Amino acid sequence: MKLKVLASGSAGNSYILETETEALVVEAGVPFKKVLRNVDHKKINGVLVSHEHKDHSKYIEEYKRYGKLYISNEQLSKKAEWLGGFRVRAFEVVHNVPCYGYLIEHSEMGKLVFATDTGYIEYKFQDISHWLIECNYSKNILDQRVKEGFNTHLADRIVKDHMSLETCKLFFSRNDLKVARSIVLLHLSDSNSHAAQFQKEIQELTNKPTYIADEGLEIDISLVPF
């Protein structure tokens, strides 16, 4: 199983989970032709879209025209569904529109938690092998920018709707990471984050391999590597 990051941020979001025979696409924030450059369309079992904001959903109708399966988050939040070999369950997160994270299971990777565009995550998870979690901004950086004249209303919206480094660290400190194999930090702000610092602090806290979801990142998330 491989994780491929096609985009992660306010300009667009797209992630692929891919085995040798099937794939699951998470978010539809890039054109489908970009997805096709990274995975055979015949392998795609489904597309998950966390919420309606365009950097996550802009191209969903284009994906549907190619016949790619999309199941509503309301349905996935009531019970888990199988998309090929992927078992998916949605859970609500905290944003300014209805927004969902996903618990995704597959025999080749174990369990994976995906959550982005949320002020915090109220749930605890067990036996998670891989974490894809938003780490959008640092409170210290944002506070300094406000002092320098950054729009306070926009700063308040960021605090309510996105996860800070500090909240991300608290989240991981409250979850069981015994079987965790990787942590990928999503949706870093261009101006309110510091990627190297975020990666270093999360990895030191968790003692787990930590990555930044930059475009082009590809990592093996197999339980048994290829």
Side-chain angles (χ1 to χ4, degrees), residues 111-125:
K111 296 179 181 179
L112 178 150
V113 169
F114 174 93
T116 188
D117 285 46
T118 181
Y120 59 90
I121 302 171
E122 63 178 311
Y123 307 104
K124 293 182 180 180
F125 301 88

Side-chain angles (χ1 to χ4, degrees), residues 194-209:
H194 190 293
Q197 173 197 347
F198 285 20
Q199 181 180 22
K200 179 175 183 290
E201 291 195 25
I202 295 296
Q203 185 158 299
E204 287 180 348
L205 171 70
T206 63
N207 197 32
K208 301 295 180 180

Side-chain angles (χ1 to χ4, degrees), residues 20 76 78 96 118 132 148 167 188 192:
E20 292 182 337
L76 288 172
K78 293 176 182 176
N96 56 13
T118 181
L132 277 63
E148 295 169 354
T167 301
L188 273 68
N192 298 313

Side-chain angles (χ1 to χ4, degrees), residues 72-138:
S72 73
N73 287 319
E74 290 78 9
Q75 181 177 345
L76 288 172
S77 66
K78 293 176 182 176
K79 68 173 185 175
E81 298 282 353
W82 287 94
L83 303 176
F86 296 91
R87 184 176 186 269
V88 182
R89 181 78 181 258
F91 56 90
E92 291 187 60
V93 295
V94 182
H95 201 43
N96 56 13
V97 297
C99 187
Y100 292 81
Y102 302 104
L103 174 61
I104 305 171
E105 302 177 52
H106 193 284
S107 60
E108 292 193 19
M109 72 172 182
K111 296 179 181 179
L112 178 150
V113 169
F114 174 93
T116 188
D117 285 46
T118 181
Y120 59 90
I121 302 171
E122 63 178 311
Y123 307 104
K124 293 182 180 180
F125 301 88
Q126 291 184 327
D127 301 323
I128 303 301
S129 298
H130 304 284
W131 302 84
L132 277 63
I133 302 294
E134 180 181 55
C135 193
N136 180 259
Y137 71 97
S138 163

